[in-house]
Amino acid sequence: MSKPVLLITGANGQLGCSLRYIAPSYTDFEFVFACSNELDITQRENITAYFERYQPTWCINTAAYTAVDKAESERERAYAVNAKAVQLLATACQTHGTAMLHISTDFVFDGSRSVPLTEEDPTTPLNYYGESKREGELLLQQSGIPHVIIRTSWLYSPYGNNFVKTMLRLGRQRGTLNVVDDQIGTPTFAEDLAHAIMAVVRHNHQEQPAYGLYHYSNEGAASWYDFAHAIFEIANIQVSLYPIPTSAYPTPARRPHYSLMNKAKIKQTFGISIPYWRDSLQRCLLLMKCR
């Protein structure tokens, strides 16, 4: 019996690289990693060729336009990648009998709540990045194909560009840093999310499928200031760090003040144990040190 084939889009991104890193641990699956320069998910012909060649059992869409501030001025590009491309992938999945797992974001919320957000809470994005990601969710839900959507937050890893790498660089360059302390969410180690994705796919392949919308981030809550403080503490970098309000650091795109997500559904449905964010940060920094 042949192994299920997992087509990973956006394989050169943080999550794609993390899935590639853990793939040897999942020998019951066959992985096809497609970088953006190999598979342009905004091009129907490109998608069709990949699906016809590999006949994937699952399409795991980790590709995304994630430049939150630039999305305000590059709306057409953000929509093409975060929404229209999701629709194109869903159409290919329908044709080939493929299930789809798509990654979304906590930025679909406006941050006006004060308790952890569930999958049933209303989505009212504050910025165009969030709008384009919400549209991608809706288009996938309307497609009628078997699918899972996982919203995540504050993703970091040893790969690509992210907050952890930025702080490490700035911390070594400067003696003083100001970091926003009134935006609350949870940092998410991409490797933990990658393992969660594999748990979801394996469950849905081997047991009664549980499709739908789920939230995943590491456990605990933090501000960006808390996150930065932990980075410097664990990495043993001496920096004078000062908390500032969002109003003191204006950006083109507005951010939600509170986007802490409730993970009860994904934990209960798939039996997933989620690490605390500081523990995962420590593991990531150790990995980066060893590379």
Side-chain angles (χ1 to χ4, degrees):
M1 190 175 177
S2 59
K3 297 178 183 179
V5 177
L6 310 184
L7 172 60
I8 316 295
T9 66
N12 51 351
Q14 291 195 80
L15 186 53
C17 287
S18 297
L19 281 162
R20 193 191 298 269
Y21 179 75
I22 69 166
S25 301
Y26 295 90
T27 55
D28 47 336
F29 293 95
E30 183 180 332
F31 292 82
V32 176
F33 290 97
C35 299
S36 54
N37 60 347
E38 299 165 335
L39 173 54
D40 182 349
I41 63 170
T42 67
Q43 302 299 317
R44 187 187 304 273
E45 299 78 10
N46 211 188
I47 293 170
T48 300
Y50 254 81
F51 272 72
E52 288 179 352
R53 180 179 178 184
Y54 295 106
Q55 298 294 320
T57 314
W58 279 82
C59 172
I60 300 177
N61 183 34
T62 74
Y65 180 106
T66 58
V68 178
D69 289 318
K70 283 177 72 176
E72 296 300 311
S73 56
E74 295 185 357
R75 294 189 172 210
E76 194 172 320
R77 179 63 184 161
Y79 186 88
V81 177
N82 292 344
K84 185 62 180 175
V86 178
Q87 188 176 44
L88 293 175
L89 288 169
T91 300
C93 287
Q94 192 163 44
T95 301
H96 292 269
T98 303
M100 185 165 163
L101 189 149
H102 174 64
I103 303 300
S104 192
T105 174
D106 60 324
F107 276 27
V108 297
F109 297 110
D110 65 7
S112 61
R113 304 292 293 269
S114 57
V115 293
L117 296 145
T118 72
E119 292 81 356
E120 287 73 42
D121 283 321
T123 53
T124 49
L126 295 177
N127 54 55
Y128 193 75
Y129 164 71
E131 283 186 34
S132 66
K133 292 296 287 184
R134 179 178 64 171
E135 188 65 18
E137 290 184 7
L138 294 173
L139 288 168
L140 180 52
Q141 289 166 339
Q142 291 163 6
S143 72
I145 66 165
H147 70 271
V148 172
I149 297 168
I150 300 179
R151 292 179 183 143
T152 193
S153 63
W154 303 19
L155 203 65
Y156 68 93
S157 70
Y159 318 103
N161 299 314
N162 55 65
F163 185 79
V164 173
K165 294 173 94 172
T166 299
M167 287 298 106
L168 290 173
R169 176 174 53 82
L170 293 178
R172 293 181 178 117
Q173 291 174 351
R174 306 179 188 176
T176 302
L177 280 175
N178 299 327
V179 180
V180 168
D181 75 337
D182 58 356
Q183 294 173 25
I184 306 299
T186 311
T188 304
F189 182 27
E191 187 180 316
D192 292 339
L193 176 57
H195 281 296
I197 287 169
M198 292 308 302
V200 170
V201 170
R202 181 177 276 165
H203 174 102
N204 281 338
H205 185 69
Q206 296 178 348
E207 302 180 42
Q208 183 68 28
Y211 301 117
L213 175 63
Y214 297 91
H215 287 171
Y216 184 94
S217 68
N218 281 119
E219 295 284 25
S223 68
W224 291 106
Y225 170 84
D226 297 329
F227 193 10
H229 188 275
I231 292 165
F232 296 135
E233 184 180 1
I234 295 167
N236 197 27
I237 296 173
Q238 302 303 312
V239 180
S240 295
L241 191 65
Y242 298 99
I244 60 168
T246 298
S247 58
Y249 187 72
T251 54
R254 295 170 63 202
R255 267 77 167 170
H257 281 287
Y258 185 94
S259 60
L260 191 65
M261 295 187 296
N262 183 315
K263 280 87 66 176
K265 183 180 177 184
I266 199 168
K267 289 191 287 188
Q268 291 166 6
T269 304
F270 303 106
I272 292 172
S273 177
I274 303 179
Y276 182 63
W277 72 268
R278 278 188 64 107
D279 296 335
S280 291
L281 175 61
Q282 195 152 13
R283 283 170 38 232
C284 180
L285 289 171
L286 186 60
L287 264 177
M288 293 168 73
K289 197 174 181 179
C290 294
R291 286 179 73 198

